[in-house]
Amino acid sequence: MLTLRERQINAIKQMLNLNSQQPKAMAADAVWKILIYDRVGQDIISPIISIKELRELGVTLHVQLHSDRDSIPDVPAVYFCLPTDENLDRIQQDFSNGLYDIYHLNFLAPITRSKIENLAAAALHAGCVANIHRVYDQYVNFISLEDDFFILKHQQSDQLSYYAINRANTRDEEMEALMDSIVDSLFALFVTLGNVPIIRCPRNSAAEMVARKLEKKLRENLWDARANLFHMDATQAGGGVFSFQRPVLLLLDRNMDLATPLHHTWSYQALVHDVLDLGLNLVYVEDEGARKKPKACDLDRNDRFWVTHKGSPFPTVAEAIQEELESYRNSEEEIKRLKTSMGIEGESDIAFSLVNDTTAMLTSAVNSLPQLMEKKRLIDMHTKIATAILNCIKARRLDSYFEIEEKIMSKQTLDKPLLELLRDAEFGQPEDKLRLYIIYYICAQQLPEPELERLREALQSAGCDLTALAYVQRWKSIMNRSPSISQATQYEGGGTRTVSMFTKLVSQGSSFVMEGVKNLVVKRHVNINLRLGSDRVKAKLIPNFLENLPVTKITEQVMECRSNAETDDYLYLAPKLLKGGDVLPKNRAPFQDAVVFMVGGGNYIEYQNLVDFIKQKQTSNVHRRIIYGGSTLTNARQFLKELSALGGEIQTPTAS
């Protein structure tokens, strides 16, 4: 069964094949073409189709729509962009200048009748009506970062951010446009999936606005016999992603949980995003050369190491890098040994036989050289990334922050008072201390004002900007007035209890011990053998019981159809029903598949928690799937900046 990302890739490949379904036998005879995209189109394509794959699809040139372009005759020009006024004006300008002989126009969102009439008038005026071969609405206006993870916007993502949704001076028409943008992308997502969902969401929230609009859009399309996009041909779509049962779309508001986006994380992918600003599966790492030019590292689905270890705890990744490097070195030594053994002297039958056998082995080894070189490239890349992360962990004491926040979120007693930690000048950066305080403030039930005042003074002394605290105070007061919401967002920790242990990381052939990085290890196994320098250390670990974040707990309740005071009150919208309503039906079967969407921005921490949760639920008879998405993807630094912007709009200077 195809994943969301695979279906989006197929849709874009068909578009690049000039929207004709080409038999596999003819795939080698690709038509040469030019791809012209806007920034949104570029963001959609770049994480899922590489430049090499574009070449294989016949794309000889790919350029920005608003760049200066020369006329190229006799080659089809494939446009891939939003039907905005700015983009349409530029397309009309291309018509007037006669840049291309063949135009294939593909719009990411449906183009309105008035706009297409204006486009047709411009083509008629330019005398190029015959040159326009195809005009398509593609319904792929979302960004697939993983098989089961998507976002709606990357560049200019502040338009759909938590700040944009919650700021005080948003006008009604701005909010309507923002919600319509989210709805259009979610509609495109379900057209791509080939399924109409049942929609669940909390009432009186931004998520409810999205849910109502999306249900209306789905219902109108379903009952339009000519324009129904969900009567998909089996040969064209291969059936929906969730073919045998309708999925549930769980729309949630970021306001349900402000602690998780600020949490110091421990998994590889989330750490890369938090520390190194991973964006569209691409991360830039400072090179250690004289120029120190940042090096681009592409973390895509073809990277076997990344696919295997992106959800692993960081020390496990460090161990895996060491093992991969040792495996590569063994292969390299084998080739060298075979080359040396080729120098056998004498013409005896034994020597001749040995040479023949060795030649065959050497030939096999040489044939594997391209794979070995690619393996070495990936090892070097991940070593570079892991070294950069390790340097940040050591400099900022991120392992200690992770352990302390886990204890706070799971209501455990801290080894040291929080005030002492915040006053420690060597304990992380001001941003880290502020994140820790906000998590403490959110998770604690009742805090005496004198204690809060001392903590805030310690933050100010550390150089923290306390603007965000005013908004967090207002948010918490609203949450406390909503007992059902407060109950649903009780924290249990991010999915692990920590244990002190050491491991080592390899850098360019030389190894060093991860001193001071003792907390970032998850208790998944009973016994583990680790090497600390030349010594072997046996660490006995207690099995970990998976602890779910608020989004995962709510997802479980909705998928299992469990009776719960908070989720029972969620809206229940079924666009396929002739008579619409929002009342929960009495007889409900558990859902096997879910799409969880966070209005206001998602993060890799929640994504990984959902991935771990669904793995625990898989059985030989039941296969469940969860797709996670967010209006944007923000790391802790970006989210803290949004909270500060919201706090700046409030007159109260600090939280109490």
Side-chain angles (χ1 to χ4, degrees):
M1 192 178 290
L2 295 180
T3 64
L4 172 64
R5 177 161 60 179
E6 288 168 339
R7 292 174 69 84
Q8 189 180 36
I9 289 172
N10 289 345
I12 291 175
K13 283 184 175 180
Q14 182 173 321
M15 176 197 78
L16 294 175
N17 193 36
L18 307 182
N19 288 297
S20 61
Q21 290 202 337
Q22 195 174 12
K24 289 185 178 179
M26 297 175 60
D29 304 324
V31 177
W32 300 114
K33 60 190 75 72
I34 302 166
L35 175 61
I36 302 160
Y37 44 51
D38 62 357
R39 294 194 179 278
V40 179
Q42 181 184 23
D43 287 348
I44 291 170
I45 289 177
S46 61
I48 58 176
I49 300 180
S50 66
I51 293 175
K52 179 186 175 184
E53 290 170 321
L54 286 177
R55 294 281 184 269
E56 292 170 353
L57 291 165
V59 177
T60 57
L61 182 66
H62 48 95
V63 292
Q64 283 282 346
L65 173 62
H66 294 282
S67 62
D68 293 329
R69 291 174 276 117
D70 296 324
S71 175
I72 304 177
D74 303 324
V75 178
V78 179
Y79 286 75
F80 185 58
C81 60
L82 283 171
T84 62
D85 292 336
E86 185 184 14
N87 288 346
L88 293 174
D89 287 344
R90 187 56 192 259
I91 293 172
Q92 292 175 20
Q93 188 179 328
D94 291 352
F95 290 168
S96 300
N97 295 335
L99 289 188
Y100 311 110
D101 289 344
I102 302 171
Y103 295 90
H104 290 261
L105 307 180
N106 298 274
F107 295 111
L108 296 171
I111 184 170
T112 62
R113 183 175 181 84
S114 61
K115 287 183 177 180
I116 204 166
E117 286 175 354
N118 292 337
L119 196 64
L124 188 64
H125 185 264
C128 64
V129 174
N131 302 79
I132 303 174
H133 285 211
R134 300 280 170 85
V135 180
Y136 271 86
D137 293 330
Q138 286 295 342
Y139 295 100
V140 289
N141 189 17
F142 57 92
I143 302 170
S144 296
L145 298 176
E146 302 287 344
D147 286 339
D148 49 1
F149 183 21
F150 70 96
I151 58 173
L152 305 189
K153 221 170 182 56
H154 175 68
Q155 298 188 65
Q156 299 179 335
S157 61
D158 54 337
Q159 296 173 358
L160 301 180
S161 67
Y162 179 77
Y163 170 74
I165 295 171
N166 291 279
R167 63 193 180 100
N169 57 350
T170 303
R171 297 194 301 272
D172 289 347
E173 57 269 23
E174 290 176 334
M175 184 59 73
E176 287 289 329
L178 192 155
M179 293 297 147
D180 287 341
S181 177
I182 294 175
V183 167
D184 289 345
S185 291
L186 287 176
F187 181 80
L189 177 92
F190 283 101
V191 170
T192 302
L193 291 174
N195 295 90
V196 179
I198 289 169
I199 304 171
R200 301 296 310 277
C201 75
R203 298 175 187 270
N204 304 317
S205 65
E208 180 180 357
M209 293 178 66
V210 173
R212 298 280 189 190
K213 284 176 172 287
L214 180 60
E215 190 228 10
K216 181 182 177 184
K217 192 175 182 73
L218 287 167
R219 188 183 297 277
E220 288 174 351
N221 184 264
L222 284 169
W223 297 104
D224 187 337
R226 291 185 302 172
N228 189 335
L229 295 164
F230 294 93
H231 288 318
M232 305 194 76
D233 184 83
T235 58
Q236 182 183 39
V241 167
F242 312 122
S243 298
F244 303 108
Q245 188 191 36
R246 292 175 64 193
V248 60
L249 168 61
L250 178 58
L251 291 168
L252 296 173
D253 193 322
R254 179 76 275 162
N255 278 312
M256 62 166 282
D257 176 15
L258 297 190
T260 300
L262 298 172
H263 188 22
H264 288 86
T265 184
W266 56 280
S267 64
Y268 189 30
Q269 186 177 44
L271 263 174
V272 174
H273 185 230
D274 185 18
V275 173
L276 302 178
D277 286 336
L278 173 67
L280 295 183
N281 298 339
L282 192 69
V283 65
Y284 289 89
V285 182
E286 288 285 343
D287 211 333
E288 294 183 355
R291 296 183 178 179
K292 290 190 176 181
K293 184 180 179 181
K295 181 178 177 61
C297 300
D298 196 0
L299 302 170
D300 59 17
R301 67 188 187 282
N302 298 319
D303 183 342
R304 181 181 58 83
F305 185 89
W306 175 251
V307 171
T308 305
H309 294 289
K310 64 190 177 186
S312 302
F314 182 63
T316 305
V317 174
E319 289 284 312
I321 292 174
Q322 171 67 27
E323 292 169 6
E324 290 283 327
L325 187 59
E326 289 177 356
S327 172
Y328 167 77
R329 284 175 175 166
N330 291 337
S331 301
E332 196 175 43
E333 287 297 324
E334 179 68 14
I335 293 175
K336 288 179 181 177
R337 188 184 63 78
L338 289 171
K339 284 182 178 178
T340 305
S341 66
M342 290 293 287
I344 299 175
E345 295 180 359
E347 296 183 0
S348 65
D349 290 342
I350 295 175
F352 183 75
S353 174
L354 283 171
V355 170
N356 277 347
D357 292 344
T358 308
T359 303
M361 287 188 290
L362 183 61
T363 301
S364 173
V366 169
N367 288 337
S368 67
L369 274 176
Q371 290 90 340
L372 275 177
M373 295 299 291
E374 176 63 11
K375 186 175 185 179
K376 181 63 165 62
R377 184 189 70 82
L378 293 176
I379 292 171
D380 288 345
M381 181 180 77
H382 285 285
T383 300
K384 190 183 294 290
I385 293 171
T387 303
I389 291 174
L390 180 63
N391 291 337
C392 286
I393 290 174
K394 286 183 173 181
R396 295 167 55 185
R397 306 268 297 276
L398 298 184
D399 56 315
S400 297
Y401 276 99
F402 168 71
E403 183 180 32
I404 293 165
E405 289 168 5
E406 284 288 307
K407 287 181 177 179
I408 290 172
M409 295 169 81
S410 54
K411 306 294 189 293
Q412 297 180 42
T413 305
L414 299 182
D415 297 334
K416 287 184 179 181
L418 185 62
L419 184 60
E420 183 180 336
L421 295 170
L422 296 181
R423 285 175 174 171
D424 186 349
E426 297 181 358
F427 188 62
Q429 297 177 353
E431 173 191 300
D432 298 315
K433 293 181 178 181
L434 184 58
R435 286 163 62 177
L436 174 61
Y437 170 81
I438 293 176
I439 290 172
Y440 177 72
Y441 178 77
I442 289 173
C443 296
Q445 294 299 322
Q446 296 292 333
L447 294 171
E449 178 57 33
E451 179 187 350
L452 289 175
E453 187 61 37
R454 286 193 295 270
L455 291 173
R456 290 197 297 268
E457 287 174 359
L459 289 174
Q460 284 182 319
S461 300
C464 298
D465 178 7
L466 305 186
T467 313
L469 302 187
Y471 180 78
V472 175
Q473 176 197 8
R474 175 178 290 182
W475 172 84
K476 188 174 181 180
S477 66
I478 294 171
M479 293 291 286
N480 288 339
R481 290 198 296 268
S482 307
S484 60
I485 298 176
S486 183
Q487 181 183 0
T489 55
Q490 290 296 310
Y491 297 95
E492 297 176 353
T496 180
R497 295 187 183 96
T498 57
V499 65
S500 296
M501 59 191 291
F502 291 90
T503 187
K504 73 174 184 178
L505 179 65
V506 173
S507 174
Q508 306 298 337
S510 65
S511 61
F512 55 91
V513 179
M514 295 175 67
E515 296 173 356
V517 189
K518 55 186 171 51
N519 303 313
L520 292 172
V521 181
V522 63
K523 297 186 294 186
R524 297 276 176 169
H525 310 286
V526 177
N527 290 290
I528 265 189
N529 287 323
L530 299 174
R531 285 187 298 177
L532 180 60
S534 59
D535 302 327
R536 295 194 63 89
V537 179
K538 190 172 185 180
K540 188 172 183 181
L541 306 179
I542 304 168
N544 173 61
F545 297 95
L546 187 68
E547 295 171 343
N548 294 330
L549 294 171
V551 63
T552 309
K553 289 195 294 181
I554 292 174
T555 301
E556 181 180 20
Q557 291 165 5
V558 169
M559 290 186 74
E560 297 288 349
C561 295
R562 294 177 184 171
S563 182
N564 178 278
E566 198 259 340
T567 55
D568 283 351
D569 190 50
Y570 277 22
L571 284 179
Y572 182 97
L573 303 174
K576 271 194 169 183
L577 294 181
L578 184 61
K579 194 172 183 179
D582 57 14
V583 181
L584 194 66
K586 292 182 180 179
N587 299 321
R588 296 170 291 151
F591 294 98
Q592 301 302 315
D593 307 286
V595 177
V596 182
F597 183 79
M598 188 65 72
V599 179
N603 53 72
Y604 282 114
I605 303 172
E606 290 175 337
Y607 165 66
Q608 191 58 50
N609 199 241
L610 285 166
V611 169
D612 292 339
F613 160 75
I614 208 66
K615 281 180 182 176
Q616 300 284 325
K617 294 293 182 181
Q618 303 295 10
T619 66
S620 56
N621 299 324
V622 179
H623 181 69
R624 294 185 169 187
R625 289 203 293 175
I626 293 177
I627 295 174
Y628 175 73
S631 53
T632 61
L633 176 62
T634 54
N635 61 20
R637 178 181 52 79
Q638 294 163 338
F639 191 66
L640 199 57
K641 188 177 178 182
E642 292 183 31
L643 292 180
S644 295
L646 290 166
E649 297 179 353
I650 301 173
Q651 296 300 317
T652 308
T654 55
S656 58

